[in-house]
């Protein structure tokens, strides 16, 4: 073989070698690309599925904020809204009020747990919503004032008229009382059913949020009246003092204990007569009956209201309507067990646990 032929074959072999390497590299790249696409596709599918229970929860909360009961029901696996049966939120009379309250709700998804294998998840929402305690307090106080006024005029309200009055007052107070927000976390169990993700059931916490920490207006009034007639406040231990004054003042009223004395009930047993100056500080007529709760006890035992033998006008003033800015002398009467010290406790009626309380111990001998 001559030199030229040898060089030709050597050049041909040199050219063939790179071609095989390029084919191998190209095959490896294609394989890696396919592998990445498969992995990415699997991850994409997982994250796509993971978003579904989150979106379901968001849709549920949006329907909740809009008071769309049908929309909420459609997103419940149980298809059961009976948790709202005892709540006033479903009453047409209160729709306007609760819509105002719920549209101010806001939320943020803070935590999720997702099990793709069995089609379950849990989604936690941090919810900021209106706490209606102040609104309900103002509503009930005003409602009882109007009821007293109605009673004095000799009129009575039907059940429908009572509900309408409450609804009107709730609507009014929601516009005048400053918004008070509170926050809570609710974890919603979510499950895949027939290809759709749904929240398992309507829970009590959701009802509480929608109701602004309140369930039934009439129940609250009944309970408030029961507390007024049979107070169950704890009497604080106080140091006996010769001072005979309970000083209490707020935007609604001022109360001053001016004197006390022992008198007789209609059965000739002893009773305690407590005289106070009551001033109406509000802008509308009111009475001590709906503004003040006063209790008395001896040795930790509550004393019952008494019916004095004598007819004292100050007793009638306790329930009488008082014009704004006016002061009247009122009288509370309690049956005595003996002549031991009496502990008095005064508080705002219907204060929902957050009103001021004053306490004083007086000596009877």
């Amino acid at each position: 073989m001559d030199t030229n032929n040898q060089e030709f074959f050597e050049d041909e072999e040199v050219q063939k070698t790179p071609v095989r390497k390029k084919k191998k590299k190209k095959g490896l790249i294609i394989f890696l690309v396919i592998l990445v696409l498969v992995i990415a596709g699997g991850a994409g599918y997982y994250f796509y599925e993971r978003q579904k229970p989150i979106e379901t929860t968001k849709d549920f909360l949006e329907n909740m904020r809009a008071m769309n009961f049908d929309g909420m029901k459609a997103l419940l696996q149980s298809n059961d809204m009976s948790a709202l049966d005892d709540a006033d939120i479903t009453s047409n009379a209160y729709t306007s009020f609760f819509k105002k309250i719920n549209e101010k709700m806001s939320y943020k998804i803070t935590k999720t747990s997702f099990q793709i294998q069995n089609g379950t998840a849990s989604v936690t929402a941090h919810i900021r919503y209106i706490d209606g305690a102040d609104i309900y307090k103002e509503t009930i106080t005003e409602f009882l004032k109007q009821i007293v006024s109605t009673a004095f005029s000799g009129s009575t309200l039907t059940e429908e008229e009572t509900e309408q009055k409450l609804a009107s007052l709730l609507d009014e107070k929601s516009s005048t009382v400053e918004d008070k927000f509170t926050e809570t976390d609710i974890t919603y169990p979510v499950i895949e059913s027939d290809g759709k993700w749904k929240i398992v059931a309507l829970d009590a916490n959701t009802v509480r949020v929608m109701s602004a920490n309140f369930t039934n207006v009439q129940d609250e009034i009944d309970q408030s009246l029961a507390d007024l007639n049979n107070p169950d406040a704890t009497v604080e231990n106080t140091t006996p003092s010769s001072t005979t004054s309970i000083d209490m003042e707020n935007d609604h009223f001022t109360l001053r204990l001016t004197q006390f004395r022992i008198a007789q009930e209609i059965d000739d047993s002893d009773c305690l007569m407590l005289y106070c100056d009551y001033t109406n500080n509000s802008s509308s007529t009111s009475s001590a009956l709906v503004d003040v709760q006063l209790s008395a006890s001896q040795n930790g035992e509550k004393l019952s209201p008494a019916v004095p033998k004598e007819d004292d006008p100050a007793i009638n003033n306790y329930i009488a309507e008082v014009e704004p800015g006016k002061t009247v002398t009122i009288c509370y009467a309690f049956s005595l067990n003996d002549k031991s010290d009496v502990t008095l406790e005064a508080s705002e009626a219907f204060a929902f646990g957050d009103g001021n309380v004053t306490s004083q111990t007086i000596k009877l001998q």
Side-chain angles (χ1 to χ4, degrees):
M1 182 181 296
D2 60 25
T3 304
N4 291 335
N5 289 336
Q6 183 178 359
E7 289 177 354
F8 172 80
F9 286 114
E10 286 178 353
D11 290 341
E12 189 178 39
E13 289 177 0
V14 169
Q15 290 175 0
K16 287 180 179 179
T17 300
V19 171
R20 287 196 297 270
K21 288 183 179 179
K22 286 181 179 179
K23 285 183 177 180
K24 288 181 180 179
K25 287 182 179 179
K26 185 176 181 181
L28 178 60
I29 291 171
I30 292 174
F31 171 76
L32 290 175
V33 169
I34 293 173
L35 181 62
V36 168
L37 290 174
V38 169
I39 294 173
Y45 173 77
Y46 173 81
F47 285 110
Y48 173 73
E49 288 296 314
R50 183 186 178 90
Q51 282 299 115
K52 289 183 178 180
I54 296 175
E55 291 304 317
T56 293
T57 305
K58 287 182 177 180
D59 288 345
F60 182 79
L61 291 170
E62 284 298 328
N63 280 288
M64 173 178 159
R65 182 160 58 183
M67 294 274 292
N68 183 355
F69 298 127
D70 289 337
M72 292 173 65
K73 185 176 181 179
L75 293 168
L76 293 174
Q77 187 213 15
S78 63
N79 208 34
D80 181 10
M81 297 285 284
S82 61
L84 290 174
D85 286 352
D86 295 328
D88 278 329
I89 194 170
T90 57
S91 171
N92 290 333
Y94 304 115
T95 298
S96 175
F97 166 69
F98 282 116
K99 277 192 172 181
K100 284 183 182 179
I101 292 296
N102 280 278
E103 68 183 8
K104 296 177 182 179
M105 183 194 88
S106 61
Y107 63 87
K108 180 181 180 182
I109 304 301
T110 57
K111 184 179 179 182
T112 59
S113 176
F114 180 59
Q115 294 80 40
I116 193 171
Q117 297 86 352
N118 56 14
T120 61
S122 62
V123 181
T124 300
H126 183 75
I127 302 175
R128 184 173 183 264
Y129 65 101
I130 295 286
D131 180 348
D134 290 344
I135 298 172
Y136 298 128
K137 174 185 173 182
E138 293 287 336
T139 297
I140 291 174
T141 300
E142 183 62 30
F143 173 77
L144 291 173
K145 288 179 182 179
Q146 294 186 18
I147 289 297
V148 170
S149 177
T150 301
F152 273 106
S153 68
S155 303
T156 57
L157 296 177
T158 65
E159 184 176 343
E160 183 180 355
E161 288 172 335
T162 299
E163 186 177 58
Q164 289 174 349
K165 183 177 286 291
L166 282 170
S168 176
L169 286 172
L170 278 171
D171 223 14
E172 175 189 331
K173 298 303 179 183
S174 66
S175 300
T176 58
V177 176
E178 184 179 355
D179 288 340
K180 177 182 176 182
F181 286 89
T182 189
E183 300 180 17
T184 189
D185 292 310
I186 300 179
T187 298
Y188 292 100
V190 192
I191 190 169
E192 188 178 20
S193 175
D194 298 328
K196 296 181 179 179
W197 286 88
K198 294 190 175 184
I199 289 172
V200 173
L202 179 62
D203 63 295
N205 287 332
T206 295
V207 176
R208 178 172 54 80
V209 168
M210 293 181 71
S211 302
N213 287 337
F214 196 79
T215 303
N216 188 286
V217 177
Q218 188 61 53
D219 286 350
E220 185 63 35
I221 290 176
D222 292 343
Q223 184 60 52
S224 298
L225 290 173
D227 291 343
L228 179 65
N229 294 327
N230 185 26
D232 192 26
T234 301
V235 177
E236 300 178 358
N237 291 326
T238 56
T239 303
S241 169
S242 59
T243 303
T244 57
S245 65
I246 292 180
D247 293 338
M248 192 170 193
E249 185 171 3
N250 54 44
D251 293 339
H252 300 291
F253 66 90
T254 299
L255 185 73
R256 299 279 187 268
L257 176 62
T258 56
Q259 61 176 318
F260 65 89
R261 65 186 178 89
I262 296 176
Q264 275 68 52
E265 293 192 63
I266 55 176
D267 62 358
D268 292 327
S269 59
D270 289 340
C271 67
L272 178 64
M273 308 279 280
L274 299 166
Y275 293 88
C276 302
D277 284 341
Y278 163 81
T279 303
N280 179 8
N281 295 336
S282 68
S283 57
S284 59
T285 57
S286 189
S287 69
L289 170 67
V290 297
D291 280 342
V292 187
Q293 180 172 302
L294 190 139
S295 64
S297 63
Q298 287 182 306
N299 302 313
E301 182 181 347
K302 292 287 185 183
L303 299 181
S304 302
V307 180
K309 182 182 294 185
E310 60 186 279
D311 185 16
D312 193 323
I315 295 177
N316 297 328
N317 285 342
Y318 169 63
I319 63 173
E321 286 193 301
V322 179
E323 294 296 323
K326 299 297 183 181
T327 300
V328 296
T329 298
I330 63 173
C331 180
Y332 298 88
F334 294 97
S335 299
L336 290 171
N337 294 331
D338 49 43
K339 295 296 180 64
S340 61
D341 295 348
V342 176
T343 299
L344 307 175
E345 190 172 88
S347 62
E348 296 178 66
F350 320 112
F352 292 86
D354 60 355
N356 295 326
V357 177
T358 60
S359 183
Q360 180 68 51
T361 299
I362 60 177
K363 289 182 175 294
L364 299 184
Q365 59 182 9

